[in-house]
Amino acid sequence: MGKKDKTTPRMAFVTLRDLPGTRVMFWVVDECPYCGERHLHPAGNLRTADPSDRLGEVPAMCDPTRMYELALPPRPKKKAGKTERRRERQGGKRDVVDDDKW
């Protein structure tokens, strides 16, 4: 088994928050992959900036020599609808082969 490459940036999942009473937005890293603390990264002005432009590789706040990649957390899978679940149940009933009906 090989060691992890220390120069490869790690993923840091972020949420977008604004500073109350101002127009400033921040990407918040709830748990830093290096130190485990919470960090803030400026995302721009609330009205004019596109916060997704600031996602990507940035230096870590706890150690500027290390880099991590700001990314949105993965979305959970969408649940199947009621009609789809019903079709699956009914489809399973139809596939049952009765020994009496050859």
Side-chain angles (χ1 to χ4, degrees), residues 10-15 27-31 33 69-74:
R10 294 187 184 175
M11 294 290 285
F13 296 118
V14 294
T15 55
W27 286 115
V28 178
V29 178
D30 285 325
E31 188 175 334
E69 187 173 344
L70 300 179
L72 295 173

Side-chain angles (χ1 to χ4, degrees), residues 33-80:
Y34 301 116
C35 68
E37 297 293 322
R38 178 179 286 179
H39 299 303
L40 301 173
H41 295 274
N45 189 338
L46 188 62
R47 293 187 181 168
T48 59
D50 183 15
S52 62
D53 291 343
R54 301 288 180 123
L55 292 175
E57 204 171 298
V58 296
M61 291 298 218
C62 55
D63 185 7
T65 60
R66 294 175 132 181
M67 302 290 279
Y68 55 54
E69 187 173 344
L70 300 179
L72 295 173
R75 292 185 178 187
K77 288 186 177 180
K78 190 174 180 181
K79 292 183 178 179

Side-chain angles (χ1 to χ4, degrees), residues 1-2 9 21 32 38 83 97:
M1 228 189 263
C32 174
R38 178 179 286 179
T83 55
V97 177

